[in-house]
Amino acid sequence: MRINRASHKQEEGTHFRSSRLLEVTDFALSFTTYTGGLKETTEQAIKKLDMTIDTGEIVAVVGASGSGKSLLANAILGMLPANATVSGLIKYKGKALTLQDQVQLRGTEIAMIPQSVNSLDPLMKAGKQVRTMIKGKNKKEKQREIFAAVGLDEKVERNYPFQLSGGMARRVLIAIAMVSSAELIVADEPTPGLDEQALEDSIRPIRLLADQGKGVMFITHDIGTALRLADKIVVFNDGKTIETANVKDFYGKGEALRHPYTKQLWNALPQNGFHTP
Amino acid sequence: MSEFMFHSNLNNQNNLIKNKLQLKSRGETVLQAREISYRYGTGSWIMEDVNLGVKPGEVVGLTGKSGAGKTTLAKIIAGYLKPNHGRVTIDGYLLQEKNAPHPVQLVWQHPEKVINPRWRMEKTLLEGGTYTDELLQDLEIKKDWLRRWPSELSGGELQRICLARALGASPGYLIADEMTTMLDAITQAQIWHTVLHMVEKKNIGVLAISHDNALLNRVSDRMVDFSMIRDKYETKK
């Protein structure tokens, strides 16, 4: 699978020239909270984060649960809680993002595939939720095409979210992101708890998006899926990016990986020895 | 064992009955779900005539498609749902509702959903009855976590608490329903190493449900494909 994709990538390079879509430099984020009366404390959630995403590229951000990966996604979309303080620079298409830009861009140029399947509107049928995001005519047709692309049965469009299994709900979320005309897609843990077929059905459309020249940030803790899908892997631990690794560096006992945490992560996989540090 | 012999000498009649029941399950597994059929309301059957067994000290991996009904089966075995047909037995005995922890404990995929957010961790832990320092040590739970709120722990830490709560009820069997799906590879390996250690130490039987075949291959003694046991006609072959 990986080999196929690599050759595919080369071909596609001749079709369009990739340009920088997103650039995050020296990004830090802290929360101010009150503990016990008026005592104010700040908690550093992200210390130093650097990453870039080009057009047509899928960049996986891999790290432990609770390491601040989702905060990064929310920071890019400008959806942070009021007590968060950020520093550093987020550039989109070479221009520094302001909160105003973010409000304007999200949903149109930057779309998100949220982590929780609770993000679906519980009172709207699945098909309609997708159709509200489609611009222009033939909404129903387009929605059915997308459903077929992500492997959803046509009758699913008439189901309410509570009637969907976890895997089906995930694919509806992916379908919503696919029909929007966004150029940057931030996918926050879109694949946990999917079986092999559903996983394949969900990552194929994400690959498709990248092949159309869109940039994808794929946030996950599942390094196995990240390796299958992404072009490069940003490893995130303890609030910092510790390594940006190439997919081809993940082999054997992790000899080509530079950071010890990345090695530990690789060797802890059940198929790679299941070692604990 | 000697205690059992003593009782059996005392009460031959009782012993006979017990032997009969044991004969029934000889050569078979000891926690058994027999001929389970289930459907929600009057909907279509989610499973028909499903048979599944787990021995003490054995880890059985259950795989299958999303939405196939694996979690429903887990809930039936752990006593959360009553099957429309069939029964769940341990050693041939039906599981009865008593004022005691259920002998089959279930650990869920999302720890934050099965913990009261307004309880400190210690209170949550005590839901399982008791806990010992040894158990906390085995699961690498730090003592100071117990005074914290759920929002102050990470997913992996919460899952350890859930596991401690389940094991605190000293169950004979444990169902791990996507127990480590939401966790990173290192935390996953740590938690499973602890569980496998407990399986050996306390002779607990484990039913591990996951989509990750590599994980199940690694931890389980044998694998069961849910689609193979779910269909009535498949099972009877």
Side-chain angles (χ1 to χ4, degrees):
Chain A
M1 158 110 194
R2 215 194 288 163
I3 299 159
N4 281 347
R5 192 175 43 64
S7 62
H8 185 62
K9 178 78 189 157
Q10 270 173 357
E11 267 170 47
E12 141 204 315
T14 57
H15 287 249
F16 63 89
R17 277 183 55 204
S18 65
S19 63
R20 184 116 316 163
L21 201 56
L22 185 81
E23 195 171 348
V24 182
T25 30
D26 268 338
F27 184 75
L29 193 158
S30 60
F31 287 112
T32 316
T33 47
Y34 289 93
T35 52
L38 291 170
K39 217 190 211 170
E40 196 185 272
T41 54
T42 41
E43 198 182 323
Q44 194 79 23
I46 299 178
K47 290 170 192 153
K48 185 181 185 306
L49 196 139
D50 302 275
M51 68 177 297
T52 58
I53 300 177
D54 292 348
T55 50
E57 189 178 48
I58 302 178
V59 180
V61 181
V62 175
S65 22
S67 64
K69 300 183 306 257
S70 298
L71 284 174
L72 170 67
N74 289 340
I76 291 171
L77 287 144
M79 300 194 299
L80 289 169
N83 64 340
T85 321
V86 293
S87 66
L89 193 62
I90 301 178
K91 273 163 118 180
Y92 176 73
K93 286 186 177 169
K95 187 174 164 290
L97 272 183
T98 62
L99 192 61
Q100 236 171 354
D101 296 334
Q102 284 171 327
V103 173
Q104 212 168 51
L105 292 177
R106 70 180 177 221
T108 53
E109 284 205 32
I110 307 178
M112 183 173 189
I113 304 175
Q115 179 170 25
S116 167
V117 293
N118 294 337
S119 308
L120 289 171
D121 184 340
L123 297 177
M124 199 193 275
K125 287 177 180 170
K128 188 158 185 209
Q129 304 207 29
V130 176
R131 287 198 294 277
T132 54
M133 291 303 295
I134 303 174
K135 294 193 185 78
K137 287 174 184 168
N138 301 331
K139 291 188 179 181
K140 198 140 201 165
E141 266 168 52
K142 280 183 192 159
Q143 172 247 313
R144 286 192 177 150
E145 262 170 48
I146 286 280
F147 266 38
V150 295
L152 282 172
D153 207 89
E154 205 174 284
K155 68 178 186 221
V156 173
E157 70 182 45
R158 289 187 300 275
N159 287 356
Y160 286 99
F162 80 92
Q163 294 168 310
L164 305 175
S165 78
M168 281 145 85
R170 290 240 168 253
R171 279 178 275 170
V172 173
L173 286 172
I174 292 171
I176 292 172
M178 281 178 71
V179 294
S180 73
S181 50
E183 291 185 46
L184 176 66
I185 285 141
V186 180
D188 189 4
E189 300 266 15
T191 56
L194 296 181
D195 64 66
E196 188 54 35
Q197 185 58 46
L199 180 65
E200 190 61 47
D201 286 344
S202 331
I203 64 176
R204 198 172 353 96
I206 295 179
R207 187 71 240 172
L208 221 69
L209 288 172
D211 291 349
Q212 288 164 11
K214 297 177 179 184
V216 180
M217 179 194 264
F218 184 73
I219 298 175
T220 184
H221 64 261
D222 181 356
I223 199 162
T225 309
L227 289 173
R228 279 170 59 172
L229 181 64
D231 299 301
K232 63 184 189 201
I233 313 267
V234 175
V235 185
F236 196 60
N237 189 33
D238 196 26
K240 284 178 281 211
T241 41
I242 53 170
E243 179 168 357
T244 303
N246 285 318
V247 170
K248 63 173 170 32
D249 292 342
F250 290 84
Y251 64 86
K253 289 195 158 37
E255 296 89 347
L257 300 168
R258 280 159 291 166
H259 199 279
Y261 178 78
T262 318
K263 278 186 194 168
Q264 282 173 13
L265 207 57
W266 174 244
N267 287 319
L269 285 177
Q271 59 269 36
N272 293 344
F274 214 39
H275 297 298
T276 52
Chain B
M1 188 63 203
S2 62
E3 207 178 292
F4 175 68
M5 297 284 279
F6 175 68
H7 277 292
S8 63
N9 286 341
L10 258 185
N11 197 336
N12 263 329
Q13 195 63 36
N14 208 349
N15 188 27
L16 260 177
I17 298 168
K18 209 166 190 179
N19 267 345
K20 256 185 195 164
L21 282 163
Q22 276 177 344
L23 270 179
K24 240 185 186 173
S25 62
R26 177 177 289 171
E28 291 170 36
T29 46
V30 185
L31 165 70
Q32 286 185 309
R34 297 184 189 200
E35 290 159 15
I36 302 276
S37 300
Y38 189 81
R39 60 177 170 182
Y40 287 103
T42 53
S44 57
W45 291 100
I46 290 169
M47 60 191 87
E48 280 189 277
D49 271 0
V50 165
N51 292 294
L52 186 70
V54 184
K55 286 180 213 152
E58 182 190 42
V59 182
V60 178
L62 181 63
T63 117
K65 281 189 151 189
S66 326
K70 302 186 297 295
T71 299
T72 305
L73 181 62
K75 283 186 189 167
I76 290 170
I77 297 175
Y80 287 91
L81 292 174
K82 277 211 155 51
N84 297 59
H85 301 290
R87 62 216 149 102
V88 180
T89 59
I90 289 183
D91 272 341
Y93 294 100
L94 269 179
L95 304 182
Q96 276 164 354
E97 275 179 51
K98 282 177 279 180
N99 208 2
H102 199 276
V104 184
Q105 286 291 321
L106 183 53
V107 181
W108 306 76
Q109 179 175 355
H110 298 278
E112 64 279 5
K113 284 189 183 169
V114 289
I115 278 180
N116 189 331
R118 296 183 178 201
W119 286 1
R120 287 186 198 268
M121 297 325 307
E122 182 159 28
K123 193 170 175 188
T124 297
L125 203 50
L126 284 171
E127 276 184 294
T130 54
Y131 64 88
T132 57
D133 287 350
E134 195 193 351
L135 179 68
L136 298 191
Q137 228 165 42
D138 280 344
L139 287 168
E140 292 171 42
I141 295 172
K142 296 198 184 80
K143 263 282 165 76
D144 72 289
W145 295 0
L146 300 186
R147 288 190 304 277
R148 294 204 211 164
W149 302 102
S151 61
E152 295 169 340
L153 293 176
S154 77
E157 289 163 350
L158 283 178
Q159 195 61 290
R160 283 168 206 268
I161 298 274
C162 285
L163 196 56
R165 174 174 67 178
L167 292 171
S170 23
Y173 299 89
L174 190 73
I175 302 179
D177 186 5
E178 300 275 10
M179 182 170 69
T180 52
T181 308
M182 302 307 292
L183 308 175
D184 63 279
I186 295 173
T187 316
Q188 164 168 283
Q190 281 169 342
I191 287 187
W192 269 108
H193 279 296
T194 315
V195 168
L196 295 179
H197 174 68
M198 300 297 273
V199 164
E200 232 167 75
K201 192 162 137 191
K202 298 194 169 169
N203 206 27
I204 297 172
V206 176
L207 179 65
I209 301 177
S210 178
H211 292 119
D212 187 348
N213 280 332
L215 173 69
L216 290 184
N217 273 329
R218 179 63 73 169
V219 299
S220 50
D221 300 313
R222 66 189 170 89
M223 301 257 278
V224 177
D225 187 345
F226 189 69
S227 64
M228 297 301 284
I229 58 170
R230 175 187 152 184
D231 192 29
K232 194 173 185 169
Y233 307 100
E234 283 297 339
T235 336
K236 285 199 170 160
K237 253 185 224 167

